[in-house]
Amino acid sequence: MNPTELNKILNQGEGTRVEFKVSQGGIPLSFYDSVCSFLNREGGVILLGVKDDGTVVGLDGQNIMGLKQDIVTALNNPEVLNPTFPLAVEEVELSIGTLLYVHVPISSLVHKHRNIIYDRENDSDLRVTDEKRIADLYARKREIFTENRIFPNLRIDDLDASLFDKVRSRLALASI
């Protein structure tokens, strides 16, 4: 995260893909609502150490490593986020203090925080309890992601055979 990217996010303000959390005194539970809603919608960015209006307050005086560990541990706990989704937490050092930057990609799965589905609308994380809206969420994901879709007319000849060796070598590297 470079200063230009950070300023762009701060100037853009909160919205469908950006959330600010002051986080003085630890990670707020609403952080996980936002992670869940971003995973379920279009992805997004969460900055910890920033007020809702974009004013940077930093996280100095707090145990930054402890905050990062708390986030990583919680995101790998199915009682907090289900299905779990590990995310990287990046430190951003500024003259005013340290921020934590979390990039949340869109997920192919529907996620729940503490057994509640959240979706993002404008700058809000909304509880989704209406069955139609839950069905719409699953349908939206099916339109975007194809990993669970069956293509009955696809044949092996339709695939680029040269890519199989590339994929095999990348998988071999990943297992090291």
Side-chain angles (χ1 to χ4, degrees):
M1 163 74 50
N2 65 46
T4 304
E5 292 172 309
L6 178 62
N7 284 330
K8 183 179 176 185
I9 293 168
L10 292 171
N11 290 331
Q12 177 182 339
E14 288 190 316
T16 306
R17 301 196 68 205
V18 176
E19 179 68 23
F20 303 142
K21 303 282 185 194
V22 175
S23 303
Q24 299 298 318
I27 305 300
L29 274 180
S30 65
F31 170 82
Y32 302 105
D33 298 349
S34 296
V35 169
C36 184
S37 68
F38 283 153
L39 288 167
N40 287 336
R41 179 54 68 163
E42 300 171 353
V45 170
I46 303 172
L47 289 175
L48 301 170
V50 180
K51 290 182 178 180
D52 286 343
D53 66 3
T55 304
V56 175
V57 294
L59 298 170
D60 280 351
Q62 296 193 45
N63 178 357
I64 301 297
M65 183 55 84
L67 294 176
K68 290 171 67 174
Q69 287 174 337
D70 289 348
I71 292 170
V72 170
T73 300
L75 294 177
N76 284 291
N77 179 348
E79 291 180 15
V80 175
L81 186 69
N82 194 356
T84 60
F85 200 97
L87 295 171
V89 181
E90 182 181 331
E91 290 180 42
V92 180
E93 300 289 337
L94 302 171
S95 60
I96 195 167
T98 302
L99 303 181
L100 292 180
Y101 166 87
V102 181
H103 173 260
V104 183
I106 184 174
S107 172
S108 62
L109 304 171
V110 173
H111 295 267
K112 298 176 182 179
H113 170 231
R114 300 226 182 260
N115 218 24
I116 298 169
I117 296 173
Y118 287 87
D119 197 4
R120 189 79 176 175
E121 201 167 287
N122 298 318
D123 64 347
S124 299
D125 303 312
L126 304 175
R127 289 174 171 237
V128 180
T129 56
D130 178 74
E131 289 182 27
K132 183 187 177 332
R133 190 155 178 184
I134 292 171
D136 290 344
L137 181 59
Y138 278 97
R140 182 175 70 229
K141 295 216 177 247
R142 252 191 326 274
E143 291 300 314
I144 297 170
F145 295 96
T146 60
E147 65 227 33
N148 292 320
R149 190 180 301 169
I150 296 173
F151 296 92
N153 299 322
L154 187 66
R155 299 180 328 246
I156 194 74
D157 301 351
D158 296 326
L159 303 176
D160 183 350
S162 67
L163 293 178
F164 286 105
D165 289 333
K166 269 187 180 176
V167 171
R168 282 187 192 103
S169 67
R170 289 189 179 169
L171 288 173
L173 289 174
S175 66
I176 294 177

